């Protein structure tokens, strides 16, 4: 065999992930845009210090790129998986009838991920309308024809 073995990356422990979540959620500047008091140097320093803390806890040596990538992965795939579990939990909680709830319990890590998401990502925008509901309206075709007929003064049989 050759010496070019691909080494498998070690899994992140729950402690490492929780520490990463705490560090990132505790940093108010991280989510904000660059400004005189929030520079690229500040962000680099933050990720370097966070990496050192994670390495001290985990025992596995990780570099800054790996730590940043883990955070991006948690935000994207972790949040979408967590969001779907939270939606299922909420749906189950709203059901009526007796019996044991089948709602999934969220882990402390999932709760922390949910805490980083804006409330509108789960609840929707207050006062907003779902455009997909408008397109599924059975009268939408006739309503459009009525609007077109009224505006043009003639029937436009395109729909």
């Amino acid at each position: 065999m050759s010496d070019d073995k691909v080494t498998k990356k070690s899994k992140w422990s729950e402690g490492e992930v929780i520490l990463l979540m705490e560090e990132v959620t505790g940093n108010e500047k991280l989510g904000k845009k660059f400004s005189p008091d929030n520079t690229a140097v500040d962000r680099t320093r933050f990720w370097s210090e966070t990496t050192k803390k994670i390495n001290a806890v985990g025992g596995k040596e990780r570099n800054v790129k790996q730590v940043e990538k883990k955070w991006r992965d948690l935000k994207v795939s972790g949040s979408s998986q967590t969001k779907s579990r939270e939606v299922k939990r909420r749906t189950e909680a709203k059901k009526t009838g007796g019996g044991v709830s089948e709602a999934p319990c969220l882990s402390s890590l999932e709760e922390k991920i949910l805490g980083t998401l804006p409330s509108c990502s789960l609840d929707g925008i207050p006062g907003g309308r779902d455009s997909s509901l408008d397109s599924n309206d059975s009268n939408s075709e006739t309503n459009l024809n009525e609007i077109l007929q009224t505006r043009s003064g003639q029937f436009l049989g395109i729909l």
Side-chain angles (χ1 to χ4, degrees), residues 60-136:
K60 298 171 183 119
E61 197 65 29
R62 307 209 185 268
N63 62 38
V64 173
K65 286 187 178 188
Q66 289 171 324
V67 173
E68 288 178 1
K69 182 180 181 332
K70 182 64 177 181
W71 173 243
R72 280 192 309 273
D73 291 348
L74 280 173
K75 279 194 327 185
V76 177
S77 65
S79 66
S80 65
Q81 292 168 0
T82 302
K83 277 180 10 182
S84 64
R85 286 178 49 86
E86 173 64 6
V87 167
K88 184 175 182 178
R89 188 192 68 76
R90 287 182 180 192
T91 303
E92 288 292 326
K94 290 179 184 176
K95 287 184 177 179
T96 59
V100 179
S101 173
E102 296 178 13
C105 294
L106 299 178
S107 69
S108 61
L109 177 61
E110 288 174 322
E111 289 176 3
K112 286 182 186 278
I113 290 173
L114 285 175
T116 65
L117 302 175
S119 62
C120 64
S121 69
L122 288 170
D123 302 326
I125 299 171
R129 290 182 54 184
D130 189 349
S131 60
S132 66
L133 293 177
D134 295 338
S135 64
N136 292 334

Side-chain angles (χ1 to χ4, degrees), residues 3-157:
D3 293 334
D4 300 344
K5 289 184 180 179
V6 177
T7 58
K8 185 177 177 184
K9 295 179 183 174
S10 57
K11 283 183 94 174
W12 284 67
S13 70
E14 188 174 343
E16 288 175 308
V17 175
I18 288 173
L19 177 62
L20 176 60
M21 291 289 301
E22 289 173 353
E23 289 296 314
V24 172
T25 56
N27 187 320
E28 296 175 5
K29 292 182 179 181
L30 196 59
K32 296 181 180 175
K33 294 185 178 200
F34 290 106
S35 65
D37 61 330
N38 186 23
T39 63
V41 173
D42 294 333
R43 290 175 190 243
T44 303
R45 185 179 310 121
F46 166 78
W47 286 113
S48 178
E49 290 171 2
T50 301
T51 302
K52 287 178 187 175
K53 290 177 184 178
I54 289 171
N55 285 336
V57 168
K60 298 171 183 119
E61 197 65 29
R62 307 209 185 268
N63 62 38
V64 173
K65 286 187 178 188
Q66 289 171 324
V67 173
E68 288 178 1
K69 182 180 181 332
K70 182 64 177 181
W71 173 243
R72 280 192 309 273
D73 291 348
L74 280 173
K75 279 194 327 185
V76 177
S77 65
S79 66
S80 65
Q81 292 168 0
T82 302
K83 277 180 10 182
S84 64
R85 286 178 49 86
E86 173 64 6
V87 167
K88 184 175 182 178
R89 188 192 68 76
R90 287 182 180 192
T91 303
E92 288 292 326
K94 290 179 184 176
K95 287 184 177 179
T96 59
V100 179
S101 173
E102 296 178 13
C105 294
L106 299 178
S107 69
S108 61
L109 177 61
E110 288 174 322
E111 289 176 3
K112 286 182 186 278
I113 290 173
L114 285 175
T116 65
L117 302 175
S119 62
C120 64
S121 69
L122 288 170
D123 302 326
I125 299 171
R129 290 182 54 184
D130 189 349
S131 60
S132 66
L133 293 177
D134 295 338
S135 64
N136 292 334
D137 182 12
S138 61
N139 294 327
S140 64
E141 187 174 319
T142 56
N143 290 341
L144 181 58
N145 271 332
E146 289 173 8
I147 292 169
L148 291 173
Q149 185 178 10
T150 304
R151 288 195 178 162
S152 66
Q154 61 183 351
F155 178 73
L156 302 174

